[in-house]
Amino acid sequence: MTVQRTLAAAGLTDAKTTPLGGGTYNSVFRVSAREGEFVLKVAPGDQPGLTYERHLVRTEAMFCTLGSAVAPVPEVVYADDTALLATCLPGRPVFGRSDVDRPKLRRELGQAVRALHEVTGPGFGYPQLGLHDTWTEAFFGMFDAVRADAERYRVRLPTADLRRHAKAFDEVRRPALVHFDLWDGNVLADTGLTGVVDGERAFWGDPVAEFVSLALFGSIEDDADLLAGHGFEFTDSARVRLAAYQAYLYSIMLTERVPRGSTDQEMERVIMDALTRALGVLA
């Protein structure tokens, strides 16, 4: 069994595991052992998924290794192609909570995200799929892949011609470390920020892409505290790219509903409305 094999390989003793909810791809466990508290993620195997959902455990291990040096990110204890064992950070997910100082938290989160974005990679794109020399080539390929996934799963998506905005993407010259899934469920806090977790969907690319999940279904420009912490100032070309990244994530969210068996029609409507708004900017 992968769980027991991983715990043994990591050298943990008297380890007890408890399933953790919230994971939509990997199986996630809390691990209590003599050596401390940990989180274990186990890959789902060969279940149907999207093109980029390959070797995500390996990608998250890379994110944790690099991110933990500059921000509150779990440290890797053990990793292979099927499982990741990492340190367990304090705090609880921010999603649904009213007991946090949100302006303070968003400023701290902005600072942490900026530190992650200062990590530079060897190329652009998803590390598990092979890197590209330019962000334009990488991102257009990423978008083409999710469109192909949508066709494969018979999901009808509205689209826009990104290539007419190629010059905006050509401005991105440095491959930054982008988490790309920083909704409130992946941000931990107690009285302040304590963790940024679940970096399995990370890629090397444009830091502007991070602002999609940081303001899911909304506008990051309404979040003055986070932008102040990050220090980012928008340009017209950055706004065009942000709309494209919104369209990309919302296309993923609509397409992945099929292999995951989602039947939440209200959520489908919310995502489709957000996708339509993003594509309107690109029209």
Side-chain angles (χ1 to χ4, degrees):
M1 183 180 179
T2 301
V3 171
Q4 296 305 321
R5 176 183 56 77
T6 302
L7 298 179
L12 299 188
T13 55
D14 293 339
K16 295 182 174 60
T17 61
T18 304
L20 290 177
T24 59
Y25 184 76
N26 297 308
S27 298
V28 187
F29 304 88
R30 175 75 175 257
V31 179
S32 299
R34 286 185 179 180
E35 292 75 13
E37 299 293 313
F38 307 91
V39 173
L40 172 65
K41 289 192 170 185
V42 178
D46 296 327
Q47 74 177 37
L50 305 191
T51 298
Y52 82 97
E53 291 182 318
R54 303 174 187 174
H55 307 298
L56 294 189
V57 165
R58 186 187 305 166
T59 297
E60 184 163 6
M62 179 207 75
F63 177 84
C64 290
T65 298
L66 297 172
S68 60
V70 298
V73 171
E75 297 179 11
V76 176
V77 176
Y78 175 86
D80 59 26
D81 287 346
T82 61
L84 167 66
L85 184 72
T87 53
C88 184
L89 299 181
R92 295 183 291 114
V94 175
F95 180 69
R97 290 174 58 184
S98 58
D99 62 332
V100 294
D101 182 341
R102 194 161 181 87
K104 173 178 179 290
L105 174 66
R106 297 302 282 183
R107 289 192 296 271
E108 292 174 344
L109 181 58
Q111 293 167 357
V113 170
R114 178 172 182 167
L116 292 172
H117 291 168
E118 290 173 351
V119 179
T120 302
F124 292 97
Y126 288 110
Q128 70 270 27
L129 298 182
L131 300 178
H132 299 266
D133 293 333
T134 69
W135 175 235
T136 305
E137 178 186 14
F139 180 66
F140 286 6
M142 291 160 62
F143 215 128
D144 286 344
V146 75
R147 287 172 176 168
D149 289 331
E151 290 183 9
R152 180 159 51 97
Y153 288 117
R154 299 181 180 180
V155 176
R156 299 184 64 180
L157 296 177
T159 61
D161 182 11
L162 294 184
R163 284 164 176 78
R164 64 189 293 264
H165 300 290
K167 289 184 178 180
F169 297 92
D170 290 342
E171 293 181 10
V172 182
R173 302 295 179 86
R174 184 182 67 86
L177 183 61
V178 179
H179 183 289
F180 204 57
D181 197 16
L182 280 179
W183 70 293
D184 279 357
N186 289 337
V187 176
L188 306 182
D190 44 35
T191 57
L193 179 69
T194 60
V196 171
V197 299
D198 289 350
E200 63 196 15
R201 302 173 198 285
F203 56 73
W204 297 109
D206 182 359
V208 172
E210 200 78 272
F211 296 135
V212 181
S213 58
L214 282 167
L216 200 62
F217 307 132
S219 171
I220 194 66
E221 292 193 73
D222 294 333
D223 194 337
D225 293 302
L226 186 132
L227 291 178
H230 191 287
F232 188 84
E233 295 183 4
F234 272 92
T235 62
D236 289 343
S237 60
R239 291 185 179 94
V240 168
R241 299 199 307 272
L242 177 60
Y245 306 142
Q246 289 171 328
Y248 175 63
L249 180 58
Y250 300 146
S251 294
I252 288 175
M253 294 174 71
L254 285 171
T255 303
E256 69 186 9
R257 289 168 48 82
V258 176
R260 294 182 182 179
S262 174
T263 58
D264 187 339
Q265 297 301 309
E266 176 60 21
M267 179 53 68
E268 180 180 9
R269 184 193 63 77
V270 169
I271 301 169
M272 182 61 78
D273 287 350
L275 173 57
T276 301
R277 289 194 301 272
L279 292 175
V281 177
L282 303 171

